[in-house]
Amino acid sequence: ADAAEAEVRLLLQEARESIEAARSYRRELQQRLRGLHQAREQIKESATLTRDVLEQHFSDLKGTLKKLLDERLMSLLQEVDVIEQESIKPLDECQKLIEHGVSTADDLLREGESAVDGDAGTQNEKLCNFTKKALHIQLDSLPEVPSLVDVPCLSAQLDDCLLTILKNQIFRHGTVASRPPVQLEEFVEKPGGILVRWCKVDDDFIPQDYRLQYRKSTASHFEDVYVGSETEFIVLHIDPNVDYQFRVCARGDGRQEWSPWSVPQIGRTTLVPHEWTTGLEGYSLSSRRNIALRNDSQSCGVLYSKAPTYFCGQTLTFRQVLFGIETVGQPDRRDSLGVCVEQRNGYDSLQRDKAVCISTNGAVFVNGKEMTNQLPAVTSGSTVTFDMEVVQLGPCSNEGGNFKLRVTISSNNREVVFDWVLDQCCGSLYFGCSFSYPGWKVLVF
């Protein structure tokens, strides 16, 4: 009985495993069916889009060609009109002269015939007047009429080779590609932005430039956001929790035309954009509050972020704060760019406790103490990045505990790495800056 029961249990177990395997197999097949459906839809949608693009392009091309041909025809017809008018004008003048001579000769003939046939009493006087008049008119002087070989004979010269050239060019115009040479590879969330990466998938294609476009999912048209040789770009001014479509194409080495677009993909960010806090008298902010300018005010102090939007995650690396120095003023040792645990008013620098920062001369400060390692001085066009990884030393609770952040500060292709020990857990940090003299302009993203 026990053996039979064990056999039944074994069969039940095998049956359950088979059922689970069948369910997993069905899920996998359904997943593949969805993949096939997506692939079919992609082919159909891209084919429809390609047809529309081709029809629109050739329709525009026909319209443009017709316009150009009409303009050329009008130009040639006008040229015919000008030659005709200029050539006929002297003939018209000669015709008027001849017609005037014919009229004069008719009058003279009538007068001569009257004098000859007149009565004897007045005949002598009439004949005398007629003779004088005939001598005055110079009946032996005739206007010159040009021969036919001396006058223009208009004709049109039309070279049929144009049709051959156009035919050859038209038959080579345009191509249809089934696979673009570059594809989007990765989207990385940034505060108020998305880092977009792409890669070359055609080994035979040699790119010279890339072209990245994006649009909101609700928009109808893509717009250029980057053209250059890099294979990644941070797209800023992205609304959080909103889908955006991206696509990329490339231009081959020595070519003018762009390749087909990659398959559009959707990216989004859930991170709110970095913003400087408003109201500090010594700083002027841009409309998006991501650029701070140290103005001429004598007031000084630390300009903090609006909120602690620089997040640190355990065992994860974040590159959340990037200071881009657009213009510079006179440097001062108290200047600082960095991050801190909390906002503290009354300080004129981040060179204090619970803060790490870099001065404009390249000195690095941790909790107010200067490190021996130093970075290059901050100049116009410099970028300073903060990269932090969480390392927890001891138990951490709401009451506090040992907490360590591994910090990497990079500037001008050099970096320093150190551990920053805190007495409390920090899920997010503020960023800040302070400058003693006007002229410094800082972009944060």
Side-chain angles (χ1 to χ4, degrees):
D2 291 340
E5 216 176 285
E7 185 177 356
V8 170
R9 284 198 300 271
L10 180 60
L11 291 172
L12 284 173
Q13 179 64 27
E14 290 177 351
R16 292 190 184 99
E17 290 176 355
S18 297
I19 290 172
E20 185 59 33
R23 286 174 178 166
S24 176
Y25 180 65
R26 183 180 63 181
R27 285 195 298 270
E28 184 64 27
L29 288 176
Q30 290 173 340
Q31 179 84 14
R32 291 173 183 265
L33 281 174
R34 286 192 291 271
L36 286 173
H37 176 72
Q38 292 174 349
R40 184 178 289 107
E41 288 300 314
Q42 177 175 304
I43 293 172
K44 289 183 177 180
E45 289 178 3
S46 62
T48 299
L49 178 61
T50 302
R51 290 189 191 96
D52 293 341
V53 169
L54 287 172
E55 290 174 357
Q56 184 63 46
H57 175 76
F58 277 86
S59 176
D60 294 343
L61 196 60
K62 285 190 288 187
T64 303
L65 284 175
K66 184 179 183 306
K67 181 181 178 182
L68 291 174
L69 289 172
D70 289 343
E71 289 177 354
R72 181 56 180 165
L73 174 60
M74 290 301 299
S75 175
L76 291 173
L77 291 176
Q78 289 173 359
E79 190 173 342
V80 171
D81 293 340
V82 170
I83 295 175
E84 180 185 23
Q85 292 172 6
E86 290 179 349
S87 301
I88 288 180
K89 183 178 179 181
L91 298 181
D92 289 341
E93 293 174 352
C94 185
Q95 180 177 340
K96 290 179 180 179
L97 183 61
I98 292 174
E99 289 175 349
H100 178 71
V102 171
S103 176
T104 302
D106 287 342
D107 294 341
L108 189 61
L109 280 172
R110 285 193 296 270
E111 186 175 344
E113 291 172 352
S114 175
V116 171
D117 297 336
D119 55 26
T122 60
Q123 187 175 24
N124 290 337
E125 183 180 356
K126 287 182 178 181
L127 288 174
C128 184
N129 291 336
F130 170 75
T131 303
K132 290 180 179 179
K133 189 172 185 180
L135 292 174
H136 179 72
I137 293 177
Q138 296 181 351
L139 296 177
D140 59 344
S141 176
L142 295 174
E144 184 176 356
V145 177
S147 62
L148 293 180
V149 297
D150 294 329
V151 297
C153 181
L154 279 71
S155 64
Q157 289 75 48
L158 301 174
D159 193 347
D160 291 337
C161 71
L162 175 63
L163 294 177
T164 303
I165 296 172
L166 287 176
K167 181 179 178 181
N168 293 334
Q169 291 294 328
I170 289 173
F171 283 163
R172 290 199 300 266
H173 181 67
T175 57
V176 176
S178 62
R179 182 184 174 99
V182 290
Q183 291 286 5
L184 294 169
E185 183 178 32
E186 184 182 16
F187 297 103
V188 180
E189 292 186 68
K190 295 292 181 180
I194 300 175
L195 172 62
V196 184
R197 292 193 176 103
W198 53 89
C199 62
K200 185 169 70 76
V201 294
D202 185 351
D203 294 335
D204 297 328
F205 184 78
I206 302 176
Q208 175 179 307
D209 291 308
Y210 298 98
R211 180 183 180 187
L212 178 66
Q213 289 189 336
Y214 84 126
R215 69 178 181 185
K216 275 189 178 181
S217 294
T218 56
S220 56
H221 298 291
F222 282 90
E223 60 180 277
D224 287 340
V225 69
Y226 172 76
V227 175
S229 59
E230 300 295 328
T231 55
E232 66 178 37
F233 183 74
I234 297 179
V235 184
L236 297 177
H237 311 320
I238 295 293
D239 295 330
N241 302 308
V242 174
D243 287 340
Y244 287 82
Q245 280 191 328
F246 295 86
R247 66 182 185 181
V248 67
C249 65
R251 181 162 51 197
D253 189 21
R255 308 284 297 220
Q256 294 296 322
E257 69 276 6
W258 292 99
S259 74
W261 290 105
S262 66
V263 178
Q265 294 190 36
I266 293 178
R268 63 157 46 197
T269 182
T270 59
L271 305 175
V272 297
H274 287 317
E275 294 182 10
W276 298 104
T277 190
T278 58
L280 191 61
E281 186 178 347
Y283 294 87
S284 303
L285 306 182
S286 64
S287 59
R288 291 183 177 271
R289 296 183 291 279
N290 60 341
I291 299 177
L293 171 66
R294 180 67 168 92
N295 56 36
D296 296 333
S297 173
Q298 297 299 318
S299 176
C300 61
V302 178
L303 177 65
Y304 293 101
S305 58
K306 181 180 178 181
T309 52
Y310 178 56
F311 294 95
C312 297
Q314 189 173 5
T315 70
L316 297 176
T317 299
F318 292 88
R319 296 185 185 273
Q320 301 288 357
V321 178
L322 174 61
F323 295 101
I325 310 301
E326 297 192 350
T327 60
V328 298
Q330 181 181 342
D332 188 275
R333 184 173 179 78
R334 294 169 298 171
D335 295 341
S336 60
L337 292 166
V339 295
C340 57
V341 175
E342 58 192 6
Q343 293 180 344
R344 287 185 185 177
N345 297 324
Y347 287 84
D348 61 359
S349 175
L350 283 175
Q351 300 169 17
R352 60 168 177 80
D353 186 35
K354 294 186 178 181
V356 294
C357 65
I358 176 175
S359 178
T360 51
N361 63 6
V364 178
F365 293 84
V366 182
N367 291 331
K369 297 180 179 179
E370 184 176 354
M371 296 182 61
T372 55
N373 293 335
Q374 184 165 329
L375 292 170
V378 177
T379 59
S380 179
S382 295
T383 59
V384 180
T385 63
F386 286 78
D387 175 14
M388 297 194 181
E389 179 182 355
V390 177
V391 180
Q392 190 167 320
L393 295 180
C396 184
S397 63
N398 294 333
E399 287 76 24
N402 292 326
F403 192 74
K404 181 168 66 174
L405 294 174
R406 185 151 296 151
V407 182
T408 302
I409 304 179
S410 303
S411 176
N412 294 334
N413 298 321
R414 288 181 56 186
E415 64 180 28
V416 293
V417 182
F418 57 90
D419 290 339
W420 182 23
V421 179
L422 300 170
D423 60 0
Q424 65 186 89
C425 294
C426 293
S428 59
L429 298 168
Y430 291 88
F431 57 86
C433 69
S434 64
F435 299 100
S436 300
Y437 298 100
W440 291 91
K441 188 177 183 181
V442 182
L443 166 68
V444 58
F445 60 91

